[in-house]
């Protein structure tokens, strides 16, 4: 089996590559990544020299480059993590999100149609469903929940999802889609809530929290997400959407206070800032379908996962400090610049 993982130098994509290469040592894995600001080649340092791994620096919107890669590698499965994903950035620069998340996805699927594959898997997000009211804890997103997006980011991901399903219906392309709740864990880019709070707290910097911090998110440890995608690409039904949720609903402010306690930092570091435009109040996923069909359940409780995550950031300061300093952007040149 040969798998192309797009966006594999990012947070979830890199963790997925580690999972696949450990579980299936006979698989060939190709990472296709543009190495934008959120892609970090040093994250993949542990596998870069393995004989069954290849890294390719290209843009998924570059049709010539994508087709060339498919001709060379003849992949069986494509797992598309490649996406612009930060909501705040999408509000400032929506066009970038539309290009990568929609046109890039279409380019990959056109290559799949031209060269043939067993499965194209689209990694989506629970944000395509919009949000839920805080006073209705009984309500959860199911696969039948109507799409109701709030930001250019979530709109671009919902558009890509519809396009993926259209390629399945129109062309018979073997596809699947997963929509996951918020992930956390090792190699999470420091602009996101949990790693940002850890890094700032360790440096005794202010901990900026939107509004009153009452927004609720359903958190899933990244390793559990990778195991779910693994199941879907091997055993999931074609043309289906699978929700992946952690049953770990937490208010943002409670997470920040938990991080303060774990790091023995004062809550006086918390600073409340003006709320994000169109800020969704609550996400909550119902993962019944993937549990019943594929037997998947989240294995990591939040209290355990957040401790493991904090420990990882404490033990891997160099990784996130080089990102904050901007030095990580030079890693590709150090590795490949003279080759």
């Amino acid at each position: 089996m040969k798998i192309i993982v797009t966006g594999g130098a990012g947070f979830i994509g890199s963790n997925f590559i580690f999972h696949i290469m450990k579980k299936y040592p006979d698989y060939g894995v190709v990472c296709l990544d543009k190495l934008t600001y959120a892609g970090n080649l040093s994250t993949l340092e542990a596998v870069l020299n393995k004989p069954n791994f290849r890294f390719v620096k290209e843009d998924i919107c570059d049709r010539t480059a994508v087709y060339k890669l498919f001709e060379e590698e003849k992949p069986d499965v494509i797992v598309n993590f490649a996406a612009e994903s930060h909501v705040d950035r999408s509000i400032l620069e929506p066009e970038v999100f539309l290009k990568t998340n929609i046109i890039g996805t279409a380019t990959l699927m056109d290559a799949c149609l031209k060269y043939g594959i067993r499965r194209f898997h689209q990694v989506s997000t629970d944000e395509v469903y919009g949000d839920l009211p805080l006073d209705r804890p009984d309500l959860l997103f199911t696969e039948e929940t109507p799409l109701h997006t709030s930001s250019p980011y979530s709109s671009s991901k919902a558009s890509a999802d519809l396009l993926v399903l259209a390629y399945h219906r129109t062309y018979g392309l073997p596809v699947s889609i997963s929509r996951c709740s918020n992930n956390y864990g090792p190699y999470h880019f420091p602009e996101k809530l949990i790693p940002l709070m850890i890094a700032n707290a360790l440096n005794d910097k202010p901990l900026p929290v939107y509004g009153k911090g009452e927004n609720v998110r359903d958190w899933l440890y990244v390793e559990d997400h990778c195991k779910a995608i693994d199941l879907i690409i091997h055993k999931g039904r074609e043309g289906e959407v699978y929700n992946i949720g952690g049953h770990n609903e937490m208010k943002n402010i409670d997470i920040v206070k938990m991080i303060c306690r774990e790091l023995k930092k004062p809550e006086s570091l918390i600073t409340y800032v003006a709320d994000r435009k169109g800020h969704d109040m609550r996400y909550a996923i119902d993962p019944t379908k993937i549990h019943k069909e594929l037997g998947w359940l989240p294995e990591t409780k939040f209290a355990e996962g957040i401790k493991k995550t904090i420990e990882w950031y404490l033990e891997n300061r160099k990784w996130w400090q080089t990102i904050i300093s901007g030095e990580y952007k030079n890693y590709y040149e150090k590795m490949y610049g003279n080759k």
Side-chain angles (χ1 to χ4, degrees):
M1 177 87 80
K2 181 165 287 185
I3 301 178
I4 291 180
V5 180
T6 67
F11 166 44
I12 307 175
S14 60
N15 277 280
F16 181 72
I17 287 173
F18 298 146
H19 167 78
I20 290 294
M21 294 189 71
K22 182 178 180 180
K23 185 175 178 182
Y24 307 102
D26 57 328
Y27 281 19
V29 176
V30 179
C31 173
L32 172 61
D33 200 296
K34 187 181 177 182
L35 293 182
T36 59
Y37 78 95
N40 185 356
L41 189 61
S42 66
T43 299
L44 297 170
E45 193 166 11
V47 298
L48 283 177
N49 294 320
K50 290 188 178 295
N52 60 332
F53 178 79
R54 178 187 176 192
F55 177 81
V56 177
K57 183 179 183 291
E58 293 290 354
D59 186 346
I60 61 169
C61 297
D62 185 335
R63 188 173 297 269
T64 301
V66 169
Y67 282 19
K68 180 175 181 288
L69 181 62
F70 272 65
E71 285 182 3
E72 291 172 351
E73 296 293 344
K74 300 177 176 56
D76 299 291
V77 174
I78 312 300
V79 182
N80 183 29
F81 290 96
E84 298 287 348
S85 65
H86 197 246
V87 174
D88 290 347
R89 288 178 183 267
S90 80
I91 294 170
L92 295 173
E93 297 182 280
E95 186 176 345
V96 176
F97 286 69
L98 304 183
K99 183 179 179 183
T100 298
N101 298 357
I102 302 173
I103 302 302
T105 300
T107 302
L108 290 170
M109 290 193 295
D110 286 343
C112 291
L113 288 175
K114 181 175 175 65
Y115 295 100
I117 42 98
R118 294 189 200 176
R119 176 67 61 90
F120 176 86
H121 183 74
Q122 174 73 359
V123 181
S124 188
T125 170
D126 59 355
E127 294 190 44
V128 300
Y129 297 123
D131 64 354
L132 297 166
L134 293 176
D135 60 355
R136 289 292 306 276
D138 57 309
L139 293 179
L140 302 171
F141 294 136
T142 71
E143 288 82 0
E144 282 71 46
T145 299
L147 305 185
H148 187 67
T149 59
S150 304
S151 69
Y153 161 61
S154 57
S155 297
S156 68
K157 291 297 287 185
S159 300
D161 286 4
L162 293 173
L163 198 59
V164 169
L165 294 174
Y167 269 62
H168 174 67
R169 181 168 181 175
T170 303
Y171 305 111
L173 188 69
V175 306
S176 50
I177 297 173
S178 56
R179 294 172 179 155
C180 191
S181 53
N182 281 32
N183 280 214
Y184 67 102
Y187 301 107
H188 203 176
F189 198 76
E191 72 182 353
K192 304 290 183 157
L193 177 71
I194 289 176
L196 176 65
M197 296 301 137
I198 294 171
N200 279 17
L202 287 171
N203 290 317
D204 296 308
K205 291 183 176 180
L207 308 179
V209 175
Y210 281 128
K212 297 180 181 178
E214 293 180 349
N215 305 70
V216 173
R217 298 292 181 262
D218 176 21
W219 292 91
L220 182 70
Y221 193 62
V222 65
E223 189 175 316
D224 290 338
H225 186 189
C226 295
K227 290 177 180 178
I229 295 174
D230 177 1
L231 279 171
I232 293 169
I233 63 175
H234 285 94
K235 299 180 180 178
R237 289 184 291 145
E238 291 182 11
E240 292 294 318
V241 176
Y242 293 91
N243 281 351
I244 306 171
H247 285 307
N248 275 314
E249 288 187 54
M250 297 280 294
K251 288 183 181 179
N252 287 348
I253 187 61
D254 292 338
I255 290 176
V256 178
K257 289 180 178 179
M258 186 181 293
I259 291 170
C260 287
R261 287 195 300 273
E262 287 292 326
L263 294 175
K264 295 180 172 55
K265 297 292 183 177
E267 291 183 8
S268 58
L269 288 174
I270 297 172
T271 304
Y272 296 96
V273 299
D275 209 352
R276 166 194 287 165
K277 294 178 181 179
H279 201 173
D280 291 332
M281 289 308 299
R282 172 176 171 256
Y283 303 144
I285 283 278
D286 180 357
T288 299
K289 179 177 177 178
I290 191 172
H291 173 56
K292 286 186 175 179
E293 288 193 16
L294 305 178
W296 179 88
L297 279 175
E299 300 172 18
T300 310
K301 299 296 183 185
F302 189 82
E304 172 196 351
I306 194 68
K307 287 184 179 180
K308 287 166 65 175
T309 300
I310 290 172
E311 286 173 7
W312 187 89
Y313 277 87
L314 287 170
E315 293 169 1
N316 293 272
R317 288 176 186 255
K318 183 180 178 182
W319 181 85
W320 55 267
Q321 286 173 343
T322 56
I323 290 177
I324 293 172
S325 71
E327 290 178 18
Y328 77 105
K329 294 177 182 177
N330 299 321
Y331 187 83
Y332 182 83
E333 286 302 316
K334 291 176 185 176
M335 288 295 294
Y336 296 107
N338 298 318
K339 295 182 181 180

